[in-house]
Amino acid sequence: MLARTLVGRLRPRLAPSLAGLGCRVSAGAAATDIAVDDDAPVPVGVGATAAAVAATVPTVLQPRVLIYDGVCRLCHRGVKWVFRADKHAKIRFCCVQSKAAEPYLRLVGMDREDVLRRVLFIEGPEAYYEGSTAALKVASYLPLPYSALSSLLIIPVPLRDAAYDYIARNRYDWFGKDDECLVTKDRELLERFIDRDEMLGDGPSNSSY
């Protein structure tokens, strides 16, 4: 499984655990926002490094966010499919090219290039998934019959990701790409985008690739 703890990704940078940074996770974290207590004290002995890392952790993050390549036409088709299948609106979306994606990427220790190679699904405060596992984890939140796709998680990760990576490497050649995030042309989808205001021009300008 490609799930990794956020704590585990922060430790190599000499940061304290998320609990040490004052993270509060409400009961049923998968259904609520991930909150950070800005007033929580930094543990003794951690020093300036921990304070610097704590400053990069956003105050509020939403769970179940799919971060993807917004200019990729294949990716956009996939997002539209999830949007229509997700009758209970459990999944949120974000274009990796937007400013809104940055705090999520910092939290898991990834950059835009990582997500351009493999889609990223942040399930909750301690788990995120990449590539084929991310796609199948998203499917697990959909109603039947779509959630049955998650049964493919039983296939070994190397096999799944080999197929995923092959398609990902060729997606622009096979399906094309746009000059800006495609969701701006399908505005009915924006209600489930955490970067909605940015895409509509009410927030920071979205950078396109």
Side-chain angles (χ1 to χ4, degrees), residues 1-6 9 65-68 96 104-105 108-123 127-138 153 155-165 168:
M1 189 69 69
L2 285 180
R4 306 171 186 169
T5 63
L6 302 185
R9 289 301 295 265
V65 175
L66 180 66
I67 302 178
Y68 73 102
V96 72
Y104 292 86
L105 298 180
V108 300
M110 297 176 67
D111 57 32
R112 282 194 172 96
E113 291 302 318
D114 294 323
V115 180
L116 290 174
R117 285 190 293 270
R118 289 182 173 180
V119 67
L120 172 66
F121 180 53
I122 299 179
E123 186 174 41
Y128 70 95
Y129 307 88
E130 303 172 74
S132 65
T133 303
L136 296 176
K137 274 290 183 178
V138 168
L153 286 166
I155 299 174
V157 173
L159 293 179
R160 286 191 278 108
D161 276 347
Y164 178 97
D165 290 342

Side-chain angles (χ1 to χ4, degrees), residues 35-56:
V36 175
D37 186 352
D38 295 326
D39 297 324
V42 175
V44 176
V46 172
T49 302
V53 174
T56 69

